């Protein structure tokens, strides 16, 4: 799927939920290309700003839109990778701030599993 | 003023990582960069093991400078560490 089609498809779904694409179109299109790239190499749209474990189950909380989007957009006006933002964020009154990683640290028992470990 | 050797760990798919590299290049600050998501499994495992104490949440980008780790693209913090005005 090309990114233009992905853009239109996701825009409709997510704006209805109150999440808007970042007004910086270069960033938005780069992020959409990155999602397509991650789907091609991992089989799922892992968040472009997080390191995939190459395991959809282990990464289910960071498959875009990630499980942390709602809390991040509510607190910072933008999700972790700044693909999705609030209407107000896009219209400017909210300063663009660094969004810290909300995902809890991995439990020590769950080490990073790589394709060669399967 | 000589700049400390700076190491960054980034992901090829992350725009904040892209912005960090662009900033350092614009400022002509020498740096070593590693694309963590394209490392071979063994190399990645070794790097994550080394990185864990400094960056337990495995957040990217991460900048190592002056013996510190700056997690994320925090431009003001980085400029301060470099002794430059944000």
């Amino acid at each position: 799927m090309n990114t233009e089609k992905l853009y239109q498809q996701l825009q409709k779904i997510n704006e209805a939920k109150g999440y808007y694409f970042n007004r910086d179109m270069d960033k938005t299109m780069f992020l959409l290309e990155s999602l397509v790239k991650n789907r091609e190499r991992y089989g799922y749209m892992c968040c472009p700003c997080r390191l995939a474990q190459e395991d959809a189950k282990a990464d289910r909380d960071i498959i875009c839109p990630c499980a942390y989007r709602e809390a991040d957009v509510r607190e910072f006006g933008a999700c972790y990778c700044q693909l999705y933002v609030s209407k107000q964020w896009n219209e400017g009154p909210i300063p663009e701030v660094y969004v810290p990683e909300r995902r809890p640290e991995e439990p020590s028992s769950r080490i990073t599993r790589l394709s060669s470990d399967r | 003023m000589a700049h400390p050797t700076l190491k960054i760990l980034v992901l090829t798919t992350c725009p904040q990582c892209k912005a960090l590299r662009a900033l350092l290049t614009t400022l002509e600050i020498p740096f070593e960069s590693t694309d963590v998501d394209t490392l071979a499994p063994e190399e990645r495992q070794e790097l994550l093991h080394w990185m864990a104490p400094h960056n337990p949440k495995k957040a990217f980008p991460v900048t190592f400078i002056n013996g510190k780790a700056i997690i994320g693209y925090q431009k003001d913090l980085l400029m301060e560490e470099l002794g430059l005005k944000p």
Side-chain angles (χ1 to χ4, degrees):
Chain A
M1 176 189 289
N2 72 34
T3 41
E4 199 47 53
K5 214 164 152 204
L6 185 62
Y7 178 94
Q8 278 145 24
Q9 205 178 59
L10 292 179
Q11 183 182 40
K12 214 161 66 181
I13 298 166
N14 288 287
E15 281 194 6
K17 298 175 185 169
Y19 299 105
Y20 297 80
F21 280 133
N22 194 316
R23 62 178 176 248
D24 177 342
M25 281 305 290
D26 289 341
K27 183 174 265 192
T28 291
M29 296 316 287
F30 176 81
L31 282 162
L32 292 176
E33 281 152 25
S34 296
L35 285 174
V36 170
K37 177 177 173 180
N38 279 352
R39 184 165 58 184
E40 280 159 9
R41 59 179 176 175
Y42 304 131
Y44 55 94
M45 283 191 177
C46 182
C47 170
C49 290
R50 292 175 167 116
L51 184 61
Q53 294 185 66
E54 301 185 33
D55 176 335
K57 196 159 168 266
D59 279 342
R60 63 189 173 284
D61 58 328
I62 56 168
I63 293 176
C64 186
C66 72
Y68 313 101
R69 175 177 74 167
E70 196 213 337
D72 283 338
V73 172
R74 192 173 350 107
E75 182 172 353
F76 300 103
C79 72
Y80 182 62
C81 69
Q82 296 186 355
L83 174 63
Y84 292 108
V85 301
S86 63
K87 203 173 204 332
Q88 297 79 2
W89 194 93
N90 254 350
E91 284 160 6
I94 299 181
E96 190 174 320
V97 295
Y98 160 62
V99 179
E101 173 62 278
R102 193 178 290 271
R103 188 184 201 199
E105 279 176 44
E106 272 171 39
S108 50
S109 58
R110 192 180 74 189
I111 56 171
T112 303
R113 256 172 298 160
L114 301 171
S115 41
S116 60
D117 287 359
R118 267 197 217 138
Chain B
M1 174 185 154
H3 289 295
T5 344
L6 195 139
K7 184 182 173 68
I8 64 174
L9 302 179
V10 291
L11 303 176
T12 59
T13 51
C14 163
Q16 277 72 266
C17 299
K18 203 169 118 176
L20 172 62
R21 283 166 81 119
L23 175 71
L24 295 172
T25 305
T26 305
L27 295 174
E28 293 175 357
I29 308 270
F31 62 93
E32 285 166 39
S33 176
T34 302
D35 292 334
V36 179
D37 55 317
T38 58
L39 288 176
E42 296 75 28
E43 270 182 292
R44 187 199 295 197
Q45 196 72 0
E46 206 179 301
L47 179 70
L48 293 180
H49 191 72
W50 172 81
M51 186 181 80
H54 313 288
N55 181 16
K57 287 198 166 193
K58 290 198 305 201
F60 294 94
V62 51
T63 306
F64 293 95
I65 178 171
N66 300 339
K68 293 177 192 153
I70 299 177
I71 310 288
Y73 179 52
Q74 302 195 63
K75 186 176 174 183
D76 291 354
L77 218 56
L78 179 62
M79 299 288 269
E80 211 178 285
E81 207 52 51
L82 287 168
L84 301 169
K85 261 209 178 44

